[in-house]
Structures are given as C-alpha cells and as structure tokens.
Amino acid sequence: MPLLSPAMLWLLAGSILCLLELFVPTAFVAFLMGLSAFVVALVALVLPTVLSVQVLLWLLLSTSLVVLSRRFLPHPTASKNLDAMEAQTLTEIPAGHTGRVLYEGNSWQARCEDEEMAIAPNQKVYVVRRQGTTLIVLPQSLLQ
C-alpha cells in the first residue's frame, strides 16, 4: 500500500480527530467523526472509489453518528446539581400540583417529591432536584 493512499489518509484523519477529542472536548463530535474516517478507510481498502464518494460517505456517517449519539446517549446532568438546598414556600404546594418557593432569592415553581403531600405556605423546604424550571422539594418536617 502506498504511503499516501486514500485509505492511509483516512486512517490519519481518523487518528487526528480521535486524539483531538482528548485535548479539546467536543462532546464526542470529533471522536465520532474519527470513527467515521476509520470506516471510510476500510471501505477505501476494499472498494477503491473516487475521493468525492469517500468524502460523501464520511459526511453521511459522521452526521448519522452524531445525530444518533444525541438521541440515544443520556444528556449530562450537571445543571441538576444544586448548591443551596434550603428554600421557603411562598404559596401552598397542593398535593400533586405546583406552588411557588423562594430559592436563592428568586421565586421558583415547585412541586413536592411526595405526590400525596401538601406543603403549607411559609414553610422551610429542602430542594431535592430540579426538573427543567420546576424544583422538586421536601418539607423540613419530613426530614427530621
């Protein structure tokens, strides 16, 4: 195999893209593009085709892998980690419904973790987690 064959160029490109992911986090986009380059290198070894067909195959594979990874891999949950845990109810939180709490100086929509429990206004609650813009809380009395 010649040193600058299309298959060798795709292997080199795939290696560079995969290594790039180590130094520049791209949410696995560069890594998936590198894997696509490896597949195109194998195809170039078995079926020598025109370079434009190889580039088109690489683009299709890269796009497909990135889309599939976004669809099937879980999203990071770093935004769900909450620093402060205490909040104060501003309104009643009816059982199974939402109310308002004061959390870090702002009014948030909140729901009780226990769907069967209501929380009165002006009660101290603990934030368990966040779902979108709704805080999931538990009353202080339940945790003592």
Side-chain angles (χ1 to χ4, degrees):
M1 177 178 352
L3 186 60
L4 290 176
S5 70
M8 287 302 290
L9 290 175
W10 285 112
L11 284 173
L12 179 65
S15 300
I16 290 170
L17 286 167
C18 287
L19 286 173
L20 179 68
E21 186 67 42
L22 289 174
F23 301 106
V24 181
T26 63
F28 292 108
V29 173
F31 180 74
L32 294 172
M33 291 170 67
L35 288 180
S36 298
F38 290 142
V39 171
V40 173
L42 289 174
V43 169
L45 279 175
V46 177
L47 301 169
T49 58
V50 181
L51 185 62
S52 61
V53 173
Q54 294 173 3
V55 170
L56 181 64
L57 177 62
W58 176 74
L59 287 172
L60 290 173
L61 279 172
S62 296
T63 304
S64 300
L65 285 175
V66 169
V67 169
L68 286 174
S69 73
R70 297 298 181 256
R71 184 177 185 119
F72 294 114
L73 291 178
H75 295 287
T77 57
S79 65
K80 292 184 181 179
N81 294 336
L82 303 170
D83 293 333
M85 299 298 287
E86 294 180 5
Q88 180 87 17
T89 57
L90 295 173
T91 65
E92 178 187 8
I93 301 176
H97 297 286
T98 60
R100 304 297 294 182
V101 297
L102 183 63
Y103 175 71
E104 292 185 337
N106 294 312
S107 174
W108 286 74
Q109 183 173 314
R111 182 171 44 86
C112 185
E113 171 84 339
D114 184 356
E115 298 281 332
E116 311 269 321
M117 179 182 287
I119 304 173
N122 297 319
Q123 298 296 310
K124 187 176 184 180
V125 292
Y126 290 100
V127 178
V128 178
R129 67 179 185 281
R130 190 177 100 191
Q131 289 180 334
T133 59
T134 302
L135 297 178
I136 309 302
V137 298
L138 282 172
Q140 180 185 23
S141 59
L142 188 67
L143 297 177
Q144 290 179 346

Coordinates of all heavy atoms in Angstrom, one line a residue, residues 97-130:
H97 N -49.7 19.0 42.8 CA -49.7 20.2 42.0 C -48.4 21.0 42.3 O -47.6 20.7 43.2 CB -50.9 21.0 42.2 CG -52.2 20.3 41.8 ND1 -52.5 20.1 40.5 CD2 -53.1 19.7 42.5 CE1 -53.7 19.5 40.4 NE2 -54.0 19.2 41.6
T98 N -48.3 22.2 41.6 CA -47.2 23.0 41.9 C -47.6 24.3 42.7 O -48.7 24.7 42.7 CB -46.5 23.5 40.5 OG1 -47.5 24.2 39.8 CG2 -46.0 22.3 39.8
G99 N -46.6 24.8 43.3 CA -46.7 26.1 44.0 C -45.4 26.9 43.8 O -44.7 26.6 42.9
R100 N -45.2 27.9 44.6 CA -44.0 28.8 44.5 C -43.2 28.7 45.7 O -43.7 28.6 46.9 CB -44.4 30.2 44.3 CG -45.4 30.5 43.1 CD -44.8 30.2 41.8 NE -43.7 31.0 41.4 CZ -43.1 30.9 40.2 NH1 -43.4 30.0 39.3 NH2 -42.0 31.7 39.9
V101 N -41.8 28.7 45.5 CA -40.9 28.7 46.6 C -39.9 29.8 46.4 O -39.6 30.2 45.2 CB -40.1 27.4 46.8 CG1 -41.1 26.3 47.2 CG2 -39.3 27.0 45.6
L102 N -39.3 30.3 47.4 CA -38.2 31.3 47.3 C -36.9 30.5 47.5 O -36.6 29.9 48.5 CB -38.3 32.4 48.5 CG -37.3 33.5 48.4 CD1 -37.4 34.3 47.2 CD2 -37.4 34.4 49.7
Y103 N -36.1 30.5 46.4 CA -34.9 29.7 46.4 C -33.8 30.6 45.8 O -33.9 31.2 44.7 CB -35.1 28.5 45.5 CG -33.8 27.7 45.3 CD1 -33.3 26.9 46.4 CD2 -33.2 27.6 44.1 CE1 -32.1 26.2 46.2 CE2 -32.0 26.9 43.9 CZ -31.5 26.2 44.9 OH -30.4 25.4 44.8
E104 N -32.7 30.8 46.6 CA -31.6 31.7 46.2 C -32.1 33.1 45.8 O -31.6 33.6 44.8 CB -30.8 31.0 45.1 CG -30.0 29.8 45.6 CD -29.1 29.2 44.5 OE1 -29.3 29.5 43.3 OE2 -28.2 28.5 44.9
G105 N -33.1 33.6 46.5 CA -33.5 35.0 46.2 C -34.5 35.1 45.1 O -34.9 36.2 44.8
N106 N -34.9 34.0 44.4 CA -35.8 34.0 43.3 C -37.0 33.2 43.6 O -36.9 32.1 44.3 CB -35.1 33.6 42.0 CG -34.0 34.5 41.6 OD1 -34.2 35.7 41.5 ND2 -32.8 34.0 41.3
S107 N -38.1 33.5 43.0 CA -39.3 32.7 43.1 C -39.3 31.6 42.0 O -39.1 31.9 40.8 CB -40.5 33.6 42.9 OG -41.7 32.8 42.8
W108 N -39.4 30.4 42.4 CA -39.4 29.2 41.5 C -40.7 28.5 41.6 O -41.3 28.4 42.7 CB -38.3 28.3 41.9 CG -36.9 28.7 41.6 CD1 -36.2 29.7 42.2 CD2 -36.1 28.2 40.6 NE1 -34.9 29.8 41.7 CE2 -34.8 28.9 40.7 CE3 -36.2 27.2 39.7 CZ2 -33.8 28.6 39.8 CZ3 -35.2 26.9 38.8 CH2 -34.0 27.6 38.9
Q109 N -41.1 27.8 40.6 CA -42.2 26.9 40.6 C -41.7 25.6 41.3 O -40.5 25.2 41.0 CB -42.6 26.6 39.2 CG -43.8 25.6 39.1 CD -44.3 25.5 37.6 OE1 -44.4 26.5 36.9 NE2 -44.5 24.3 37.2
A110 N -42.5 25.1 42.2 CA -42.0 23.9 42.9 C -43.1 22.9 43.1 O -44.3 23.2 43.1 CB -41.5 24.3 44.3
R111 N -42.7 21.6 43.2 CA -43.6 20.5 43.4 C -43.0 19.6 44.5 O -41.8 19.5 44.6 CB -43.8 19.7 42.1 CG -44.8 18.6 42.1 CD -45.0 18.0 40.7 NE -43.8 17.8 39.9 CZ -43.1 16.7 40.0 NH1 -43.3 15.7 40.8 NH2 -42.0 16.6 39.2
C112 N -43.9 19.0 45.3 CA -43.4 18.2 46.4 C -43.0 16.8 45.8 O -43.7 16.3 44.9 CB -44.5 18.0 47.4 SG -44.0 17.0 48.8
E113 N -41.9 16.3 46.3 CA -41.5 14.9 45.9 C -42.5 13.9 46.1 O -42.7 13.0 45.3 CB -40.2 14.6 46.6 CG -39.7 13.2 46.4 CD -38.8 13.0 45.2 OE1 -38.9 13.8 44.2 OE2 -38.1 12.1 45.1
D114 N -43.2 14.0 47.2 CA -44.3 13.1 47.5 C -45.6 13.6 46.9 O -46.1 14.6 47.4 CB -44.4 12.9 49.0 CG -45.5 11.9 49.4 OD1 -46.2 11.3 48.6 OD2 -45.6 11.6 50.7
E115 N -46.1 13.0 45.9 CA -47.3 13.5 45.2 C -48.6 13.5 46.1 O -49.5 14.2 45.7 CB -47.6 12.6 44.0 CG -46.5 12.6 42.9 CD -46.5 13.9 42.0 OE1 -47.6 14.4 41.8 OE2 -45.4 14.2 41.6
E116 N -48.6 12.8 47.2 CA -49.7 12.8 48.1 C -49.7 13.8 49.2 O -50.6 14.0 49.9 CB -49.8 11.4 48.8 CG -49.6 10.2 47.8 CD -50.9 9.7 47.3 OE1 -51.9 9.7 48.1 OE2 -51.0 9.4 46.1
M117 N -48.6 14.6 49.3 CA -48.4 15.5 50.4 C -48.5 17.0 49.9 O -48.1 17.3 48.9 CB -47.0 15.3 51.0 CG -46.7 16.2 52.1 SD -45.0 15.9 52.7 CE -45.2 14.4 53.5
A118 N -49.2 17.8 50.7 CA -49.3 19.2 50.5 C -48.4 19.9 51.5 O -48.1 19.4 52.6 CB -50.8 19.7 50.7
I119 N -47.9 21.0 51.1 CA -47.0 21.8 51.9 C -47.6 23.2 52.1 O -48.0 23.9 51.1 CB -45.6 21.9 51.3 CG1 -45.0 20.5 51.0 CG2 -44.6 22.7 52.2 CD1 -43.7 20.6 50.3
A120 N -47.7 23.7 53.3 CA -48.3 25.0 53.6 C -47.4 26.1 53.2 O -46.2 25.9 53.1 CB -48.6 25.0 55.1
P121 N -47.9 27.3 53.1 CA -47.0 28.5 52.8 C -46.1 28.8 54.0 O -46.4 28.4 55.1 CB -48.0 29.6 52.5 CG -49.4 29.2 52.9 CD -49.3 27.7 53.1
N122 N -45.1 29.5 53.7 CA -44.1 29.9 54.7 C -43.4 28.8 55.5 O -43.2 28.9 56.7 CB -44.7 30.9 55.7 CG -45.1 32.2 55.0 OD1 -44.4 32.7 54.1 ND2 -46.3 32.7 55.4
Q123 N -43.2 27.7 54.8 CA -42.6 26.5 55.4 C -41.2 26.4 54.8 O -41.0 26.6 53.6 CB -43.4 25.2 55.1 CG -44.8 25.2 55.7 CD -44.7 25.3 57.2 OE1 -44.0 24.5 57.9 NE2 -45.5 26.2 57.8
K124 N -40.3 25.9 55.6 CA -38.9 25.6 55.2 C -38.9 24.3 54.4 O -39.5 23.3 55.0 CB -37.9 25.6 56.3 CG -36.5 25.5 55.9 CD -35.6 25.5 57.1 CE -34.2 25.5 56.8 NZ -33.3 25.6 57.9
V125 N -38.4 24.2 53.2 CA -38.3 23.0 52.4 C -36.9 22.8 52.0 O -36.1 23.7 52.0 CB -39.3 23.1 51.2 CG1 -40.7 23.0 51.7 CG2 -39.0 24.2 50.3
Y126 N -36.6 21.6 51.6 CA -35.3 21.2 51.0 C -35.5 20.9 49.5 O -36.4 20.1 49.2 CB -34.6 20.1 51.8 CG -34.2 20.5 53.2 CD1 -35.0 20.2 54.3 CD2 -33.0 21.2 53.4 CE1 -34.6 20.6 55.5 CE2 -32.7 21.6 54.6 CZ -33.5 21.3 55.7 OH -33.1 21.7 57.0
V127 N -34.6 21.4 48.7 CA -34.7 21.1 47.3 C -33.9 19.8 47.1 O -32.8 19.6 47.4 CB -34.0 22.3 46.5 CG1 -34.0 21.9 45.0 CG2 -34.7 23.6 46.7
V128 N -34.7 18.9 46.5 CA -34.1 17.5 46.2 C -33.4 17.5 44.8 O -32.4 17.0 44.7 CB -35.2 16.5 46.3 CG1 -34.7 15.1 45.9 CG2 -35.9 16.5 47.6
R129 N -34.1 18.1 43.8 CA -33.6 18.1 42.5 C -34.4 19.1 41.7 O -35.3 19.8 42.2 CB -33.6 16.7 41.8 CG -35.0 16.2 41.5 CD -34.9 14.9 40.8 NE -36.3 14.4 40.5 CZ -37.1 13.9 41.3 NH1 -36.8 13.7 42.5 NH2 -38.3 13.5 40.9
R130 N -34.0 19.3 40.4 CA -34.6 20.2 39.5 C -35.1 19.5 38.3 O -34.3 18.7 37.7 CB -33.7 21.4 39.2 CG -34.3 22.5 38.4 CD -33.4 23.6 38.2 NE -32.9 23.5 36.8 CZ -31.9 24.2 36.3 NH1 -31.2 25.0 37.0 NH2 -31.6 24.0 35.0

